[in-house]
Amino acid sequence: MKTDLSKYDNSWYQPGSKVKRLLWYFINELFLKWSLNPSSTLKVFLLKAFGAKIGEGVVIKPGVNIKYPWKLTVGNHCWIGEGVWIDNLDQVTLEDHVCISQGAFLLCGNHNYKLSSFDLMTAPIILKEGSWVGAKGIVGPGVTMKSHSVLSLGSITTKNLEAYGVYRGNPAVKIKEREIH
């Protein structure tokens, strides 16, 4: 059996109306991804206007790319760094005090390489209270980073991370316990 992309069909996947997605595409390009817009207040306002649930004290740096704000929940006092890409084909939830450092990726989708049709698969991502995704870190579909877990610089996880665990590498492995003083 070989891959046959002519059989690919993700018609089951309906992330929102075409008009809503198109309008968000332009808003995202002009106000979130645009590196000359430092205003978190405006970004939060626009994300909420498109259905995101966002708490107080959220900081969103320039150059952030968010696929579908209506599939995003952000708790209080979260930081989203420069160049972060939240490719939320499914729900992404950031609980309170979560930090996503610059250039990190949260990817809710993948393809089923076992099927010749290469079908789309999606799964939610949950970052529990106090968790931190280091710069250039990648969090895959279906991952839960438990309370105060850390994914170190440039590391990749496709598995859940334990509470207070510090993880490094590709694939990320636990290297120590996080101690907060």
Side-chain angles (χ1 to χ4, degrees), residues 87-92 106-110 121-125 140-141:
D87 192 26
N88 55 336
L89 297 173
D90 207 319
Q91 181 65 36
V92 169
L106 276 59
L107 305 170
C108 290
N110 206 342
M121 303 182 305
T122 68
I125 292 174

Side-chain angles (χ1 to χ4, degrees), residues 9-176:
D9 177 18
N10 71 339
S11 60
W12 61 269
Y13 184 72
Q14 299 296 324
S17 76
K18 288 182 181 180
V19 172
K20 183 178 186 178
R21 287 183 288 157
L22 183 63
L23 186 57
W24 173 249
Y25 175 81
F26 288 109
I27 297 294
N28 191 40
E29 287 291 327
L30 292 172
F31 296 101
L32 268 76
K33 289 175 68 176
W34 189 40
S35 60
L36 296 178
N37 176 17
S39 172
S40 288
T41 304
L42 178 59
K43 293 172 197 168
V44 166
F45 172 80
L46 291 168
L47 286 164
K48 284 182 175 181
F50 276 84
K53 297 173 187 80
I54 301 180
E56 297 178 10
V58 172
V59 174
I60 303 172
K61 294 292 189 172
V64 171
N65 184 16
I66 296 174
K67 178 80 79 173
Y68 301 129
W70 47 92
K71 291 179 175 275
L72 179 65
T73 301
V74 180
N76 298 316
H77 306 286
C78 292
W79 297 349
I80 301 174
E82 291 179 84
V84 166
W85 182 7
I86 300 177
D87 192 26
N88 55 336
L89 297 173
D90 207 319
Q91 181 65 36
V92 169
T93 302
L94 313 179
E95 292 187 352
D96 297 343
H97 306 283
V98 168
C99 180
I100 306 173
S101 293
Q102 61 272 24
F105 288 85
L106 276 59
L107 305 170
C108 290
N110 206 342
H111 294 276
N112 190 341
Y113 63 87
K114 295 178 182 179
L115 297 177
S116 65
S117 56
F118 207 54
D119 293 354
L120 176 66
M121 303 182 305
T122 68
I125 292 174
I126 302 168
L127 304 184
K128 297 284 194 175
E129 182 177 359
S131 58
W132 174 24
V133 179
K136 301 285 184 178
I138 300 175
V139 179
V143 169
T144 296
M145 289 181 60
K146 296 198 176 156
S147 176
H148 296 86
S149 60
V150 176
L151 182 65
S152 298
L153 170 77
S155 297
I156 300 173
T157 187
T158 58
K159 308 275 188 212
N160 294 342
L161 304 186
E162 295 174 12
Y164 290 89
V166 177
Y167 292 79
R168 179 173 58 201
N170 177 15
V173 294
K174 186 175 179 183
I175 58 169
K176 62 182 173 183

